[in-house]
Amino acid sequence: MVEWSESERSIISGIFSTLDYNDVGPKALCRCLIVYPWTLRYFGTFGNLYNAEAIKSNPNVAAHGVKVLHGLDRAVKNMDNIKATYAELSVLHSEKLHVDPDNFKLLADCLTITVAAKLGSAFTPQVQATWTKFLAVVVSALGRQYH
């Protein structure tokens, strides 16, 4: 079980309260698909993903990026039991979609870069450490079914 200080809870809640999901989610997912092109294989039904411009302008990618951020809301609301919160989603990604669990970490890294760019100087070392801890817990929970 992960221990969260009140400061960490406040930081995570504060980040999510300021995020524009329609901006940050699509940008993070686009970054992941462009920088790590092998991740494209999980999005074969999304239409044209031929190059960076096609990925950035694809409405299915944008919608899924927003969906990912809304999925992270579940962790924010259930910080004391993130593992159980994502148990069903872990099974889905493992057994039905066959997603390589390392891709969760890649997306977390891209999301970190996108959030850091949005927050600018407010993305202090303490905020980054808390954000990284939060995403590590989420990534671990999503990859739980694979262990």
Side-chain angles (χ1 to χ4, degrees), residues 92-106:
L92 170 71
H93 282 86
S94 169
E95 296 177 10
K96 183 177 179 193
L97 302 175
H98 308 289
V99 174
D100 180 342
D102 288 340
N103 291 331
F104 301 132
K105 174 72 171 114
L106 298 176

Side-chain angles (χ1 to χ4, degrees), residues 125-140:
Q126 181 184 10
V127 170
Q128 181 182 5
T130 301
W131 178 254
T132 300
K133 177 181 175 180
F134 173 75
L135 289 181
V137 172
V138 170
V139 166
S140 176

Side-chain angles (χ1 to χ4, degrees), residues 5-84:
S5 70
E6 286 307 312
S7 173
E8 290 171 326
R9 290 175 190 274
S10 176
I11 287 169
I12 295 302
S13 295
I15 289 172
F16 277 90
S17 71
T18 64
L19 288 183
D20 177 355
Y21 287 28
N22 293 316
D23 180 49
V24 173
K27 283 182 179 174
L29 184 55
C30 284
R31 182 181 304 271
C32 187
L33 296 175
I34 292 166
V35 175
Y36 306 108
W38 58 88
T39 61
L40 289 167
R41 67 181 173 191
Y42 301 108
F43 299 93
T45 62
F46 277 33
N48 181 10
L49 301 174
Y50 180 71
N51 59 29
E53 280 308 311
I55 292 168
K56 289 191 276 186
S57 64
N58 188 300
N60 293 318
V61 171
H64 194 70
V66 173
K67 184 176 183 177
V68 166
L69 280 188
H70 281 291
L72 286 174
D73 271 343
R74 294 173 57 198
V76 174
K77 293 174 185 165
N78 297 288
M79 287 182 69
D80 292 320
N81 203 358
I82 292 174
K83 183 170 69 171

